[in-house]
Amino acid sequence: RVRELESQLLQADEMRREMHNMIQELRGNVRVIARVRPLLPGEDSVVDVPDVDKQTLAVSIPELDPRLFNFDRVFNGHSSQDEVFEEVSELVQSALDGYKVCLFSYGQTGAGKTYTMLGQGEGERRGIVPRAVAKVLEQAEALRSKGYEYTMEASYVEIYNEQIRDLLCPGSTHSERHNVVNAPEGGCPTVTGVVREEVTSVYEATSLVRRAMKAREVAETEMNANSSRSHTLFLLYITGVHQATGQTLTGCLNLVDLAGSERTKRSGARGQRMTEACAINKSLSCLGDVFAAVGRGDKHIPYRNSKLTYLLAPCLGGEGKTLMVVNIAPDLDSAEESMCSLRFASTVNQVELG
């Protein structure tokens, strides 16, 4: 009788995973949400999010006709971190179910990308990364009663000038060469030679993130005193094993804080900053090329054209799941960059996977 009940429980859980995945596929394996940062003192807004429509925003630049953009969800400047995470939390469950999941934070410097991903401090201002880890741990504990044992390991890397750096190692090891492993079908994105630390609590994950952020490459530009000069990727590897049957679920959750997407003219980049900006814009362009090729159904997808797309290839094709949060600065001075970000995000929003 016990064996029979265990079998029924496993069948029910398998059905739950299939239904959850079906819902995610119906919503779209590639989804885009937009988030408008709050206005700062002295700024005039050119971005409007109608209260009655949570999927549309309008950009009104003087002397030009208003431009409407539609996304899966739009958050205005008053939206909380809770509201944003609620919209993306179902993809965290997909990673626990054995799927390859990626969440991007995209936009120009100063638009709120890092705040969206990491937040500030504890409590309600936490971002997607600490909230996602907390949800993974919470759900893993709930599944323990069904006979599953989960282990989580995390790496934290940055892609700087097309070189991968391990942010969990002392600076002296940054010169070591780290390469992307060509993941087998259904495999997770992997980098050789980088540290993987076991994560058993939110505190451990928070400590890991703080160490990584201290090592991240930042520099002053005309856009920001601490402008991110690299893409950072929090890679969480999730393995669940059912003790009675030996069934194994292998998923991963990749949380990506992209470098600022602004043009070099706006950032005032020169010298080394110009080299960094060119590398950033090239990789973002390659990301756009991958989404375009996937959207057209091309046989060849140019994943290898940049380290960013090559590393995230398992999430950008097949049964992978991708969500992009495009962060928008609503002020008039940022209007042109906001339009560029929104056009790019609109292109991504038309792509379908699976």
Side-chain angles (χ1 to χ4, degrees), residues 126-298:
R126 292 176 304 150
I128 289 175
V129 173
R131 289 171 184 269
V133 173
K135 181 175 176 66
V136 167
L137 292 168
E138 177 186 312
Q139 292 298 102
E141 183 61 31
L143 288 168
R144 186 188 297 270
S145 63
K146 298 181 179 180
Y148 286 95
E149 289 290 337
Y150 275 88
T151 57
M152 274 76 71
E153 293 182 326
S155 295
Y156 218 132
V157 302
E158 71 173 348
I159 300 176
Y160 173 72
N161 284 347
E162 279 301 289
Q163 296 296 316
I164 299 177
R165 297 176 168 184
D166 186 355
L167 294 177
L168 298 182
C169 274
S172 60
T173 64
H174 283 348
S175 60
E176 293 180 2
R177 194 169 183 81
H178 301 293
N179 295 310
V180 177
V181 175
N182 187 12
E185 186 174 351
C188 292
T190 306
V191 181
T192 60
V194 298
V195 171
R196 277 200 197 186
E197 294 190 6
E198 187 174 3
V199 175
T200 60
S201 69
V202 175
Y203 174 80
E204 288 180 351
T206 303
S207 176
L208 181 150
V209 169
R210 286 173 180 162
R211 284 163 45 209
M213 288 304 95
K214 288 180 181 178
R216 186 178 187 180
E217 192 71 32
V218 297
E220 182 175 359
T221 70
E222 291 181 11
M223 296 283 292
N224 197 316
N226 290 291
S227 177
S228 301
R229 313 310 297 158
S230 65
H231 310 302
T232 60
L233 299 89
F234 177 80
L235 310 173
L236 186 65
Y237 301 94
I238 305 168
T239 303
V241 178
H242 193 272
Q243 298 300 309
T245 65
Q247 180 188 33
T248 301
L249 301 172
T250 304
C252 56
L253 181 62
N254 308 286
L255 305 176
V256 185
D257 185 5
L258 295 170
S261 60
E262 66 276 354
R263 294 161 295 176
T264 54
K265 179 181 178 181
R266 179 93 197 279
S267 65
R270 301 175 185 84
Q272 179 63 21
R273 302 290 85 82
M274 175 63 81
T275 301
E276 296 164 350
C278 289
I280 291 167
N281 290 331
K282 177 188 174 184
S283 62
L284 293 176
S285 177
C286 290
L287 181 63
D289 292 342
V290 165
F291 279 122
V294 171
R296 292 191 301 265
D298 293 355

Side-chain angles (χ1 to χ4, degrees), residues 14 24 34 66 84 87 94 103-104 107 109 117 150 159 166 173 176 245 260 283 290 324 332 340 343 353:
E14 181 68 27
Q24 297 313 304
V84 174
E87 186 67 24
S94 292
L103 274 67
F104 289 101
T109 297
M117 294 305 288
Y150 275 88
I159 300 176
D166 186 355
T173 64
E176 293 180 2
T245 65
S283 62
V290 165
M324 175 179 285
L332 179 59
C340 289
R343 282 195 290 266
L353 297 182

